[in-house]
């Protein structure tokens, strides 16, 4: 990596943000899954 | 491809066609009528047609319905109205005869003759004409455990179906089922000597 | 996890041996694995198609029994959709998206590894059913109950394979969304994203919304079969048609999942070889989004014959027709991009131009079937088979081929063999039409789909179609040869590769180093896609 500090670092903040994005979308997907099954329960 | 009992309809009249199914979803399609309609278990679908030209119209099942999906023909005979009325009368007589057949005692030979015919039309597609079945998929009836076991279980299986085998309670009459079971139990190497009467089937329903 | 990339001080330091691939967190390696997997599956699914076309070469039953024939049609579809087009699209996304947005890697590299490595297991489950008692699934890829519930031992394998594929796709989609939303280089605003990236974001959202629905549908099927529920069994008060509604609520967006990345690829290639910016960039983005949005309101056009109320049939007919508007915007924009351009016709461009023309044929037949009363006749005939093969083979597959020819010089650092590439193109484009065009005639003449034997009146066109199928199928081996030859050597590719190429990926060396954009590029209007 070059020395000027301009490196495209994956900072812990960015990694946490990525994880957050993943968890939120994952939960939405899970909700769709459960929702469609529950919708058909009667 | 041909069928044993074509649908007979009058020409020049608006005819309503109802479709439903017993086992899986099929689709009733005669291209010349310009539409197809799914036949779905538990549903009754309807559609209509006016046929102007007398003649024979052909079609086939259009919804994948299993291994014999490609061999499910539809034949429709459009006839002038008076001919149609005569056909209806004829059918009424035949139906009355069939109904009386349910009460009488049949002999072994009568049952076997009728049973062979039904077996060929209904059972042989899977269990084969020689009763050997298809190893791994369709069990052999020749020497089969249920066919040579108690007759009651045999009747139950034909009426109710099992796994791939559809239930025939809604498709065959008591006399038909009695005949085909008697035929199966006394054909090929099966020699149970059992005679199943229509009333036995009626009792098992 | 992702910190690893920052610790890596040497540009081309990479792990070696089998672990490089097994434990890979590198978007380029994972992209390569996706693409190789898709290519292998292309031939597995292709072999099944050859069985189908061989059986249909002549009327009568020649080679296979009807149950196996049904297994072939079912498995061919599942393999081609979930094993070829989707993984190939994800493979291209893996390779290109980080390079296109100026990110060092995907946002979640370890999840990326997982979403790839699920695939071989899912397909082992699925393909193992071919050797099971009762045969492989034979109820069609649409898995309609009650027929599919009659599947033998294979049913739970089918269902779990679908679950795994769904999980894999959802993880891939999450990764793409996180990468594009969080990892863009400075100055890479959304409206500067290359169109391939845009179509993939939209695709990713479709995946998130629909794959769980499919998983839900097959889960209900599983409980119906093994746990005594009656979601879809009429005898227990269930509704067999409800499965079709749920399935197609997944299924229709799914077809846009297959085609939107293809739109993106073509939108990259046409401007490059026409040496003009993409015409109507913004309208292209909005059109793709509109197609995706509308795709949620048209599902029942797959089931016009189940017997719906008239109002429902009318609604789904008009909703379906309305999709032609944004699709038309895209097609006209592509034509306008080429209009008065200085065009050259290298292999990727040939495939892209063929895509525009042949996909339009598939689009038009789609409109024909969107008309409810006309669909009463077309439904479940060879007409629909011709339609979806035009949009999926000459559409999606041609675009994927175009994408590989377009970017393989960047990936390998070598130019592919242009002469052989052109041979591959002409063989493909001629024989794919010999294969699928006659199927329109068969369908209109009344041949139902999914039948192993047919009336003799259909014999001639079936034979023509089979001949086209065999030549098209075998000519794809040429593609494998071209790819291998290109990996092993060839003329050195420049960094820009194509004279008219614009965008961040073309500023990198060919082949790009193992880790790219460890220093973020600054993107301005001048250096953006167009």
């Amino acid at each position: 990596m070059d020395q000027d500090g301009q490196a495209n670092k994956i900072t812990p903040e960015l990694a946490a943000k990525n994880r957050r994005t993943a968890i939120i979308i994952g939960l939405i997907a899970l909700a769709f899954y459960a929702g469609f099954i529950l919708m058909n329960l009667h | 491809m041909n069928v044993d009992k074509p649908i007979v309809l009058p020409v020049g009249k608006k005819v309503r066609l109802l479709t439903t199914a017993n086992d899986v979803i099929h689709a009733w399609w005669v291209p010349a009528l310009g539409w197809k309609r799914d036949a779905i278990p538990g549903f009754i679908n309807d559609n209509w047609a006016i046929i102007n030209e007398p003649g024979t119209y052909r079609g086939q099942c259009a919804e994948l319905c299993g291994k014999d999906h490609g061999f499910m023909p539809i034949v429709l005979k459009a006839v002038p109205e008076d001919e149609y009325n005569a056909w209806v009368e004829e059918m009424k007589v035949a139906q009355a005869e069939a109904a009386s057949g349910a009460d009488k005692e049949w002999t072994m030979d009568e049952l076997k003759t009728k049973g062979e015919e039904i077996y060929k039309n209904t059972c042989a597609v899977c269990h084969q004409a020689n009763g050997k079945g298809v190893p791994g998929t369709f069990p052999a009836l020749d020497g089969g455990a249920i066919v040579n076991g108690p007759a009651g279980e045999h009747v139950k299986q034909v009426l109710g179906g099992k796994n791939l085998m559809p239930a025939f309670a809604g498709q065959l009459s008591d006399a038909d089922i009695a005949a085909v079971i008697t035929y199966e139990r006394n054909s090929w190497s099966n020699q149970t000597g059992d005679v199943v009467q229509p009333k036995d089937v009626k009792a098992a329903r | 996890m992702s910190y690893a990339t920052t610790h890596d001080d040497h540009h081309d330091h990479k792990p070696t041996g089998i672990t490089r691939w097994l434990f890979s967190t590198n978007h380029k390696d994972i992209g390569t694995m996706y693409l190789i997997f898709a290519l292998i599956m292309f031939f597995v699914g292709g072999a099944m198609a050859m069985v189908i076309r061989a059986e249909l070469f002549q009327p009568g039953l020649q080679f296979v029994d009807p149950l196996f024939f049904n297994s072939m049609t079912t498995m061919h579809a599942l393999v081609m959709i979930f094993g070829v087009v989707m993984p190939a699209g994800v493979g291209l996304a893996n390779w290109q998206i980080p390079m296109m947005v100026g990110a060092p890697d995907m946002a979640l590299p370890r999840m990326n590894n997982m979403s790839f490595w699920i695939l071989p297991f899912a397909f082992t489950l699925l393909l193992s059913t071919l050797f099971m008692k009762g045969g492989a699934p034979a109820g069609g890829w649409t898995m309609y109950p009650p027929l599919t519930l009659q599947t033998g031992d294979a049913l739970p394998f089918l269902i779990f394979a679908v679950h795994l594929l769904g999980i894999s796709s959802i993880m891939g989609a999450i990764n793409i969304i996180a990468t594009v939303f969080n990892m863009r280089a400075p100055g890479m605003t959304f409206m500067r994203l290359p169109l391939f990236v845009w179509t993939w974001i939209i695709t990713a959202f479709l995946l998130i919304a629909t794959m769980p629905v499919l998983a839900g549908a097959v889960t209900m099927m599983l409980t119906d079969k093994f746990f005594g529920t009656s979601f879809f069994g009429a005898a227990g008060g269930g509704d067999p048609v409800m499965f079709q509604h749920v399935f197609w609520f997944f299924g229709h967006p799914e077809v846009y999942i297959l085609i939107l990345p293809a739109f993106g690829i073509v939108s990259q290639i046409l401007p490059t070889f026409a040496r003009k910016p993409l015409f109507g960039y913004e309208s292209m983005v909005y059109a793709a989004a509109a197609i995706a949005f509308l795709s949620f309101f048209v599902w029942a056009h797959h089931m016009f014959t189940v017997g719906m109320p008239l109002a429902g049939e009318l609604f789904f007919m008009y909703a379906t027709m309305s999709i032609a508007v944004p699709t038309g915007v895209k097609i006209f924009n592509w034509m306008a991009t080429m209009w008065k351009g200085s065009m050259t016709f290298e292999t990727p461009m040939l495939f892209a131009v063929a895509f525009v023309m042949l996909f339009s044929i598939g689009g038009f037949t789609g409109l024909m079937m969107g008309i409810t009363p006309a669909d009463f006749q077309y439904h479940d005939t060879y007409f629909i088979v011709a339609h979806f093969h035009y949009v999926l083979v000459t559409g999606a597959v041609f675009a994927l081929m175009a994408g590989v020819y377009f970017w393989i010089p960047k990936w390998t650092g070598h130019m592919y063999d242009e002469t052989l590439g052109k041979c591959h193109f002409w063989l493909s484009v001629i024989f794919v039409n010999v294969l699928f065009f006659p199927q329109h005639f068969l369908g209109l003449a009344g041949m139902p789909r999914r039948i192993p034997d047919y009336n003799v009146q259909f014999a001639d066109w079936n034979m023509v179609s089979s001949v086209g199928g065999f030549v098209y199928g075998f000519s794809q081996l040429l593609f494998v040869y071209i790819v291998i030859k290109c990996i092993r050597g060839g003329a050195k590719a420049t960094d820009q590769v194509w004279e008219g190429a614009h965008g961040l990926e073309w500023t990198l060396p060919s082949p790009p180093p193992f880790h790219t954009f460890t220093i973020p590029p600054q993107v301005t209007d001048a250096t953006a896609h167009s």
Side-chain angles (χ1 to χ4, degrees):
Chain A
M1 198 139 315
D2 298 36
Q3 52 295 355
D4 54 9
Q6 284 295 317
N8 207 355
K9 260 202 171 24
I10 310 290
T11 56
E13 291 75 36
L14 182 54
K17 192 178 171 196
N18 285 339
R19 256 198 309 277
R20 220 165 35 243
T21 313
I23 290 167
I24 292 170
I25 303 174
L27 286 176
I28 293 173
L30 206 62
F32 277 147
Y33 172 72
F36 263 83
I37 295 181
L38 289 174
M39 200 177 77
N40 280 288
L41 273 180
H42 46 82
Chain B
M1 294 204 295
N2 225 329
V3 301
D4 54 348
K5 286 180 193 155
I7 300 177
V8 181
L9 291 177
V11 294
K13 274 203 136 176
K14 192 166 177 178
V15 196
R16 189 160 171 245
L17 289 121
L18 303 181
T19 45
T20 188
N22 250 323
D23 44 5
V24 297
I25 300 173
H26 305 271
W28 196 87
W29 183 34
V30 174
L33 299 191
W35 51 263
K36 58 177 74 68
R37 197 52 109 205
D38 287 2
I40 306 165
F43 282 70
I44 295 175
N45 269 331
D46 74 325
N47 216 329
W48 60 268
I50 299 176
I51 304 170
N52 293 321
E53 292 286 318
T56 306
Y57 296 84
R58 287 171 193 279
Q60 69 187 98
C61 176
E63 174 69 55
L64 180 63
C65 60
K67 86 178 176 64
D68 286 320
H69 167 55
F71 310 96
M72 202 173 167
I74 296 164
V75 178
L76 192 157
K77 265 183 157 156
V79 296
E81 198 171 349
D82 49 341
E83 224 175 288
Y84 173 75
N85 290 335
W87 176 80
V88 172
E89 285 309 312
E90 207 178 291
M91 282 297 113
K92 277 185 181 158
V93 174
Q95 234 168 25
E97 262 172 30
S100 69
D103 303 325
K104 73 167 191 180
E105 285 282 318
W106 295 58
T107 68
M108 166 80 104
D109 281 342
E110 280 173 347
L111 285 167
K112 277 185 74 172
T113 314
K114 189 177 173 61
E116 185 171 8
E117 189 191 318
I118 291 161
Y119 184 85
K120 270 190 200 148
N121 291 336
T122 310
C123 316
V125 286
C126 296
H127 296 294
Q128 308 302 320
N130 60 7
K132 299 282 186 207
V134 175
T137 316
F138 304 113
L141 299 185
D142 188 4
I146 291 171
V147 179
N148 290 294
E153 289 302 307
H154 193 176
V155 173
K156 233 195 235 165
Q157 169 130 6
V158 175
L159 283 173
K162 191 185 173 190
N163 298 335
L164 273 177
M165 179 165 164
F168 288 99
Q171 297 179 36
L172 298 175
S173 70
D174 293 346
D176 291 344
I177 291 177
V180 80
I181 287 176
T182 308
Y183 170 75
E184 285 168 6
R185 297 179 78 81
N186 298 290
S187 298
W188 316 299
S189 66
N190 303 338
Q191 298 299 341
T192 59
D194 293 342
V195 177
V196 177
Q197 292 293 348
K199 63 175 170 18
D200 303 332
V201 179
K202 199 173 182 181
R205 274 184 195 257
Chain C
M1 48 184 290
S2 17
Y3 306 104
T5 52
T6 58
H7 294 193
D8 183 34
D9 288 356
H10 315 285
H11 272 310
D12 243 6
H13 169 83
K14 54 186 159 192
T16 48
I18 183 83
T19 53
R20 168 179 172 189
W21 304 99
L22 271 181
F23 304 139
S24 178
T25 53
N26 181 282
H27 74 99
K28 300 183 184 72
D29 281 357
I30 294 175
T32 304
M33 289 195 289
Y34 263 112
L35 288 167
I36 292 172
F37 180 82
L39 189 59
I40 294 168
M41 283 296 143
F42 187 53
F43 285 93
V44 173
M48 292 169 179
M50 294 298 106
V51 174
I52 295 168
R53 281 322 317 173
E55 180 58 54
L56 293 173
F57 187 66
Q58 286 185 317
L61 292 174
Q62 283 90 27
F63 302 106
V64 293
D65 72 86
L67 193 66
F68 187 72
F69 181 88
N70 290 348
S71 294
M72 285 293 103
T73 54
T74 305
M75 298 290 276
H76 165 72
L78 290 168
V79 168
M80 287 299 193
I81 292 166
F82 293 103
V84 179
V85 178
M86 288 171 75
V90 181
L92 291 176
N94 250 296
W95 254 104
Q96 294 306 129
I97 286 178
M99 296 203 295
M100 283 176 154
V101 303
D105 204 304
M106 296 294 276
L108 304 138
R110 274 198 278 183
M111 196 164 81
N112 202 13
N113 173 292
M114 225 191 306
S115 54
F116 171 74
W117 279 108
I118 285 175
L119 284 182
F121 291 95
F123 276 92
T124 308
L125 280 184
L126 189 63
L127 294 173
S128 67
T129 60
L130 284 167
F131 308 103
M132 274 175 200
K133 195 165 149 261
W141 83 277
T142 50
M143 302 180 278
Y144 285 1
L147 180 63
T148 298
L149 292 172
Q150 295 180 355
T151 309
D153 295 351
L155 186 68
F157 287 82
L158 168 68
I159 288 172
F160 288 129
V162 170
H163 279 149
L164 286 177
L165 294 169
I167 292 168
S168 159
S169 307
I170 288 169
M171 293 201 298
I174 289 174
N175 223 330
I176 285 164
I177 292 173
T179 306
V180 180
F181 276 51
N182 299 347
M183 310 265 290
R184 277 168 291 123
M188 180 57 92
T189 58
F190 271 96
M191 275 310 179
R192 283 177 183 163
L193 288 174
L195 214 77
F196 178 69
V197 179
W198 255 117
T199 54
W200 246 113
I201 306 176
I202 295 164
T203 305
F205 278 108
L206 286 178
L207 280 166
I208 302 289
T210 61
M211 293 311 286
V213 179
L214 175 67
V218 296
T219 304
M220 288 186 267
M221 191 118 84
L222 187 77
T223 61
D224 267 14
K225 173 82 174 182
F226 296 104
F227 303 106
T229 59
S230 290
F231 285 107
F232 307 128
D239 181 349
V241 178
M242 184 50 86
F243 178 88
Q244 300 183 21
H245 283 290
V246 177
F247 180 86
W248 286 114
F249 187 79
F250 145 80
H252 199 79
E254 166 72 13
V255 304
Y256 295 117
I257 290 167
L258 301 173
I259 203 66
L260 281 176
F263 286 174
I265 296 165
V266 170
S267 304
Q268 298 300 127
I269 293 174
L270 291 179
T272 304
F273 294 96
R275 293 166 180 77
K276 273 177 66 193
L278 184 67
F279 186 90
Y281 171 88
E282 289 187 355
S283 66
M284 285 301 233
V285 173
Y286 295 134
I291 291 172
F293 177 73
L294 289 172
S295 73
F296 287 102
F297 305 99
V298 300
W299 75 87
H301 69 211
H302 296 267
M303 18 190 316
F304 278 146
T305 65
V306 296
M308 271 186 292
L310 182 66
E313 288 175 343
L314 286 172
F315 171 80
F316 286 108
M317 175 168 83
Y318 288 125
T320 303
M321 297 282 168
S322 70
I323 293 191
V325 177
T327 313
V329 167
K330 296 193 88 83
I331 304 240
F332 284 116
N333 278 348
W334 287 325
M335 293 190 329
T337 304
M338 289 188 277
W339 182 257
K340 289 189 173 173
S342 328
M343 293 205 282
T344 51
F345 295 94
E346 287 87 344
T347 311
M349 182 63 164
L350 287 173
F351 271 105
V353 174
F355 169 94
V356 175
M357 293 198 274
L358 298 176
F359 177 81
S360 299
I361 294 180
F364 282 133
T365 53
L367 277 175
M368 289 170 71
M369 283 179 298
I371 303 167
T372 311
D375 185 67
F376 287 164
Q377 194 71 305
Y378 306 143
H379 184 85
D380 264 331
T381 65
Y382 257 80
F383 193 77
I384 176 85
V385 177
H387 158 74
F388 65 67
H389 281 99
Y390 264 90
V391 292
L392 286 180
V393 180
T394 61
V397 173
F398 268 33
L400 291 166
M401 296 270 177
V404 170
Y405 280 116
F406 186 50
W407 283 307
I408 204 170
K410 171 58 63 187
W411 302 336
T412 62
H414 305 127
M415 296 306 289
Y416 59 88
D417 187 324
E418 188 63 51
T419 317
L420 286 181
K422 287 207 166 82
C423 287
H424 172 226
F425 169 76
W426 286 110
L427 278 171
S428 296
V429 80
I430 292 169
F431 286 97
V432 87
N433 281 294
V434 175
L435 165 58
F436 293 120
F437 209 79
Q439 297 185 355
H440 291 113
F441 312 146
L442 288 170
L444 293 176
M447 179 171 165
R449 63 191 283 212
R450 293 166 164 168
I451 54 171
D453 183 12
Y454 48 83
N455 197 312
V456 285
Q457 62 168 318
F458 307 126
D460 295 347
W461 286 123
N462 265 302
M463 189 176 280
V464 171
S465 177
S466 286
V467 169
F470 298 140
V471 183
Y472 174 72
F474 283 101
S475 63
Q476 301 316 304
L477 292 170
L478 188 56
F479 177 68
V480 181
Y481 176 73
I482 294 167
V483 169
I484 293 173
K485 195 175 167 205
C486 181
I487 293 169
R488 295 171 70 97
K492 187 84 190 73
T494 62
D495 290 358
Q496 201 190 2
V497 182
W498 311 107
E499 189 194 19
H502 293 287
L504 284 179
E505 79 263 43
W506 307 109
T507 64
L508 294 166
S510 302
F514 199 55
H515 297 296
T516 42
F517 292 129
T518 45
I519 297 169
Q522 182 65 46
V523 182
T524 62
D525 247 352
T527 55
H529 60 93
S530 51

